[in-house]
Amino acid sequence: MQDEVSMPRTWQAWTWTGHADPLALALQTVAAAPLQSGQVLVRNTVIGLNPVDWKVLGGDLVDWQPGKVPGVDGTGEVVAIGSCVTHEWLGERVAYHTSLASPGSFAEYTPVDARALLTIPSAVDFDTAASVPCPALTAWLALDKLPPRREARILISGAGGAVGLYAVQLAAMQGFEVSVMCHPRHWDRLRALGARECFEGPLDADSEWPQTQASRFFAIVDAVDSTHAARLSPALAANGHLICIQGRVEGWPSPPFGRTMSLHEVALGAMHQHGSDADWTRLVDAGNRILKLIADGRLKSEPLLTASFDSLPKRLDALRHRSVSGKSVVAVSSFRHAVGL
């Protein structure tokens, strides 16, 4: 059984056609499927675009068939619930990160596991909330790998991006002494958010910087790639932590009984496949606290670039080519109004 406020039979969605090019996405009418136990139906108001949304279109990272609806982040209102979901969710303003294996957020409506829903505070608008789940929860998961150690030095590499924005602020709130590595154009902004020291990066293969900083950092969070993460490893102190957000280091970067470092990988999508209900409770609690910090003005979100639903492929293509500065979000409600729905 499913309880409905407004359960449509069909809706509009951008679908994958089997091509890596975001501009090849097709706007189609898709049929509603019955909600599964534990799911809700969200009428999307705003969609958040993330790098993963274009990276998966090549097909190497996913097992998709043409017609699949991509997208992982969205916000909107719960309009229907499946079995084993409490009625209190109906009508709630929510944000979510959903599985790549499920129908995604590039649509007017998206089925979402209720355990993954974040509650949007009244002081936070849908646009801002849509920009939060993927980057902020990834940053939280990265820092959750670390044991608490106030005033320990931590380096965040690739800090100019969305994940870095949240990682810098959350690490500073946790009492770490935060250094960043990124393009100098980001330094003033990151200093204002809690970074004490800034280094230019990413590093090339010939850089001697890791050796000049040998044994300095308790932890390094790298959001560039696995090769860059390994390149930074000499800067770790004994028993330090190397946390990889983009890929993972395949070979151990130090000899046995050398730095005795710990290696970590971070992938928010893994939660959908392997996370328990208890894991999701912790993650959702973290997401709700992040949204509350934004509502209270204690945490800065990204500057927003809001586009129309019909321009979604163009905005995703611009994100792929890094030709935009800011967080791209897509307003579904304006499209619904334009077509008279």
Side-chain angles (χ1 to χ4, degrees):
M1 292 291 293
Q2 60 191 33
D3 200 333
E4 304 176 3
V5 171
S6 178
M7 184 72 181
R9 295 181 179 180
T10 63
W11 53 77
Q12 295 293 294
W14 288 101
T15 62
W16 186 61
T17 59
H19 299 280
D21 188 350
L23 297 177
L25 292 173
L27 186 61
Q28 295 182 332
T29 299
V30 299
L35 292 177
Q36 299 178 15
S37 176
Q39 284 189 327
V40 305
L41 186 69
V42 177
R43 181 172 58 206
N44 290 321
T45 301
V46 181
I47 300 162
L49 301 184
N50 298 284
V52 67
D53 294 326
W54 64 260
K55 291 178 180 180
V56 297
L57 297 183
D60 294 337
L61 303 176
V62 290
D63 183 20
W64 287 356
Q65 297 297 317
K68 166 72 169 64
V69 179
V72 292
D73 280 0
T75 59
E77 179 184 345
V78 175
V79 296
I81 59 174
S83 60
C84 301
V85 179
T86 61
H87 285 72
E88 285 77 9
W89 279 114
L90 286 171
E92 283 293 309
R93 298 169 70 246
V94 297
Y96 63 84
H97 180 281
T98 194
S99 171
L100 287 168
S102 303
S105 63
F106 289 4
E108 292 184 280
Y109 294 82
T110 301
V112 181
D113 289 344
R115 68 179 185 173
L117 295 174
L118 307 179
T119 302
I120 304 175
S122 59
V124 177
D125 57 41
F126 282 117
D127 297 56
T128 299
S131 74
V132 170
C134 189
L137 294 178
T138 297
W140 183 85
L141 283 173
L143 297 173
D144 192 49
K145 303 284 187 179
L146 298 176
R149 187 176 297 184
R150 293 191 65 83
E151 299 184 357
R153 291 192 181 99
I154 178 174
L155 174 68
I156 298 172
S157 167
V163 175
L165 173 80
Y166 291 107
V168 168
Q169 296 177 87
L170 294 174
M173 288 179 181
Q174 292 176 25
F176 291 111
E177 182 180 313
V178 182
S179 299
V180 297
M181 178 175 286
C182 57
H183 192 281
R185 67 175 177 268
H186 302 296
W187 289 358
D188 287 344
R189 172 172 60 92
L190 294 173
R191 284 193 182 101
L193 297 177
R196 298 191 185 182
E197 193 174 26
C198 301
F199 301 100
E200 187 169 2
L203 304 180
D204 59 38
D206 299 324
S207 174
E208 296 181 358
W209 183 91
Q211 286 70 35
T212 67
Q213 305 293 319
S215 304
R216 188 170 178 218
F217 295 101
F218 167 64
I220 296 174
V221 179
D222 183 79
V224 179
D225 59 40
S226 58
T227 300
H228 194 259
R231 193 173 293 157
L232 293 173
S233 63
L236 280 174
N239 301 304
H241 299 263
L242 184 60
I243 303 170
C244 305
I245 292 174
Q246 298 287 348
R248 67 176 181 181
V249 176
E250 295 295 339
W252 214 268
S254 64
F257 309 107
R259 297 183 186 280
T260 59
M261 68 177 68
S262 297
L263 292 179
H264 308 273
E265 60 178 332
V266 178
L268 180 55
M271 283 287 294
H272 294 285
Q273 187 173 3
H274 302 290
S276 66
D277 287 343
D279 293 332
W280 273 103
T281 296
R282 289 189 71 243
L283 185 65
V284 165
D285 179 66
N288 286 334
R289 283 186 279 115
I290 287 169
L291 287 171
K292 182 64 164 55
L293 288 168
I294 293 172
D296 293 343
R298 297 173 56 198
L299 190 71
K300 296 292 185 183
S301 57
E302 296 178 89
L304 298 176
L305 299 170
T306 303
S308 60
F309 186 67
D310 56 4
S311 67
L312 187 153
K314 292 181 180 179
R315 282 305 177 100
L316 189 58
D317 189 58
L319 178 61
R320 179 178 65 157
H321 290 100
R322 299 183 179 181
S323 60
V324 294
S325 179
K327 178 69 173 186
S328 289
V329 298
V330 171
V332 185
S333 53
S334 62
F335 167 79
R336 198 176 291 123
H337 176 76
V339 296
L341 295 177

